[in-house]
Amino acid sequence: MPEQSDQPSPLPFLTHEALRFRDMDPLGHINNSVYATLLEQNRVAFQCEPGGFREAQGETAVLATLTIDFLREMRWPGTVEVSLGISRIGRSSFDFQQQIVLDGQLIARGRCTQVLIDEGLRSAVPLSDEQKQMLTRWMIDAE
């Protein structure tokens, strides 16, 4: 596995999230669970973005895996940049690469897989050609 840089990568979709006082833990830094929320907010914004990703009627994308590499601690106050790119498009799933940056420093890296499912049957359905095209626009080179 190639060594990963501790520098931010250029990822095509960017959101900004304010850190909240209530996000701190007793040690005075932002609690680790907040990192998952920041990454989720970024993915949800992406799925609401015109040209982002759209489920068809009766479909929904669900989170199948989430991995977070905690590189540095965060402290309140501040506004983080959370960004993502699509690193893989499969038959019924796709992978995100994400990062959290504060004051130019890479704080955390996230990777996740989302699976497109039929809401009624609760089972995976293939991505349409149109959905694959939407995702392709946000593809990155994932090493």
Side-chain angles (χ1 to χ4, degrees):
M1 177 179 210
E3 188 174 316
Q4 293 186 322
S5 167
D6 66 349
Q7 296 299 308
S9 301
L11 296 177
F13 183 78
L14 174 69
T15 57
H16 294 88
E17 298 288 337
L19 299 174
R20 302 166 303 180
F21 178 78
R22 68 174 290 234
D23 294 336
M24 287 191 296
D25 63 17
L27 299 175
H29 61 258
I30 302 299
N31 186 276
N32 64 75
S33 65
V34 174
Y35 289 57
T37 299
L38 294 169
L39 296 173
E40 177 185 47
Q41 287 294 112
N42 178 250
R43 290 190 308 273
V44 168
F46 172 73
Q47 289 177 249
C48 293
E49 174 75 13
F53 179 75
R54 293 286 182 274
E55 297 101 339
Q57 182 81 25
E59 296 175 346
T60 191
V62 297
L63 190 64
T65 64
L66 173 62
T67 303
I68 302 172
D69 298 328
F70 299 93
L71 305 173
R72 292 182 175 81
E73 64 182 11
M74 284 191 288
R75 294 192 177 272
W76 176 85
T79 299
V80 294
E81 295 177 353
V82 187
S83 56
L84 67 76
I86 302 297
S87 58
R88 183 193 64 85
I89 302 170
R91 187 185 77 78
S92 59
S93 65
F94 50 97
D95 294 349
F96 288 104
Q97 297 286 327
Q98 293 180 276
Q99 65 187 9
I100 299 171
V101 175
L102 178 61
D103 298 329
Q105 294 226 353
L106 181 61
I107 302 298
R109 238 187 241 103
R111 292 169 304 289
C112 72
T113 299
Q114 286 197 309
V115 178
L116 188 65
I117 66 167
D118 180 288
E119 288 180 326
L121 299 174
R122 306 309 286 176
S123 60
V125 295
L127 293 160
S128 70
D129 289 340
E130 182 182 358
Q131 289 166 328
K132 288 179 181 178
Q133 271 187 319
M134 287 179 211
L135 293 168
T136 299
R137 174 179 175 214
W138 303 96
M139 285 293 290
I140 58 168
D141 227 359
E143 295 182 19

